[in-house]
Amino acid sequence: NAGVMQNPRHLVRRRGQEARLRCSPMKGHSHVYWYRQLPEEGLKFMVYLQKENIIDESGMPKERFSAEFPKEGPSILRIQQVVRGDSAAYFCASSPRTTNTEAFFGQGTRLTVV
Amino acid sequence: GQSLEQPSEVTAVEGAIVQINCTYQTSGFYGLSWYQQHDGGAPTFLSYNGLDGLEETGRFSSFLSRSDSYGYLLLQELQMKDSASYFCAVPNRDDKIIFGKGTRLHILP
């Protein structure tokens, strides 16, 4: 049973470009969470999704950021017109429908904006 | 709103015992979880307390007191590989999981 898969592991983008981060949850998991982590800091909640539904996006910046979790395929976090301040590690986590007391994390995507 | 407070750093000696505290303020409480994260790595689940008391898993134990809105992670027989950041986290009524800012554990030989 493969774990949570994120790709790419590292992503470099120039200011103004788009970044697309992908996350495939563990098999059987219907809850996906995205978190952002700056160096030496904690995990900041961004968005919580279930299949085809955004449940809570209260942690997402209102502009340039969007997320989806389609019926088929991975969850995507999209950042448009990236700026230097978007440089961070972005982690995806998944949990089964029955409980969110334990979340399984992917290895993260380290985004660097140059 | 929700908030979790934990110390930013803790230092201990190899072989010793260390306790990392977490106090929380939540609207609706469903339990306290703990995660470990090594530098450059992904957070990994350590333990969950849904009820008051102590849960033990090998060298690691976690405690919860719902009446005090307080919990802690206890690490015994510290090893150098335990040097990492430790996060407490709470799932809320909307199934969102909120994390504390993390405690960086430094272990001295």
Side-chain angles (χ1 to χ4, degrees):
Chain A
N1 189 8
V4 177
M5 304 299 292
Q6 286 189 252
N7 67 82
R9 290 289 305 277
H10 300 275
L11 182 62
V12 179
R13 283 288 177 266
R14 295 186 184 279
R15 281 179 296 172
Q17 290 185 320
E18 178 180 286
R20 290 170 67 90
L21 288 62
R22 295 174 183 77
C23 169
S24 295
M26 285 183 70
K27 187 176 180 181
H29 286 191
S30 58
H31 298 198
V32 168
Y33 310 84
W34 286 93
Y35 292 87
R36 178 162 68 176
Q37 187 175 40
L38 294 170
E40 307 295 322
E41 293 193 10
L43 295 153
K44 183 173 180 300
F45 170 81
M46 298 182 74
V47 62
Y48 162 45
L49 310 103
Q50 294 179 17
K51 283 284 188 184
E52 299 185 277
N53 282 309
I54 297 174
I55 307 301
D56 186 329
E57 56 182 347
S58 58
M60 289 260 279
K62 298 295 181 204
E63 297 178 353
R64 302 189 298 108
F65 285 71
S66 63
E68 62 178 9
F69 188 15
K71 186 176 180 181
E72 301 290 339
S75 175
I76 306 285
L77 178 68
R78 180 197 290 181
I79 311 172
Q80 296 177 299
Q81 299 175 324
V82 295
V83 301
R84 289 231 170 95
D86 296 332
S87 296
Y90 292 85
F91 287 96
C92 166
S94 73
S95 68
R97 187 205 321 252
T98 53
T99 176
N100 65 343
T101 57
E102 177 179 356
F104 296 81
F105 280 82
Q107 290 298 312
T109 294
R110 271 105 182 133
L111 173 66
T112 302
V113 179
V114 298
Chain B
Q2 293 174 285
S3 67
L4 298 101
E5 296 292 328
Q6 50 182 132
S8 59
E9 288 185 280
V10 170
T11 300
V13 178
E14 190 178 14
I17 300 173
V18 71
Q19 178 174 313
I20 300 173
N21 299 320
C22 175
T23 57
Y24 57 85
Q25 210 170 6
T26 63
S27 52
F29 180 73
Y30 300 87
L32 187 70
S33 301
W34 287 92
Y35 291 78
Q36 179 192 59
Q37 184 182 30
H38 287 99
D39 283 346
T44 56
F45 173 82
L46 288 176
S47 67
Y48 169 74
N49 294 71
L51 301 173
D52 285 1
L54 192 68
E55 294 281 341
E56 297 181 71
T57 310
R59 294 187 298 114
F60 293 3
S61 304
S62 56
F63 172 82
L64 176 66
S65 169
R66 295 165 74 114
S67 60
D68 296 322
S69 297
Y70 163 75
Y72 65 73
L73 180 69
L74 191 73
L75 295 83
Q76 302 181 73
E77 301 173 17
L78 284 172
Q79 301 175 9
M80 297 305 292
K81 67 178 181 180
D82 298 330
S83 294
S85 292
Y86 293 85
F87 297 88
C88 55
V90 291
N92 74 354
R93 75 178 79 184
D94 301 318
D95 286 342
K96 190 164 71 178
I97 305 175
I98 302 299
F99 285 80
K101 292 188 175 180
T103 299
R104 190 165 186 87
L105 174 61
H106 302 279
I107 299 177
L108 304 176

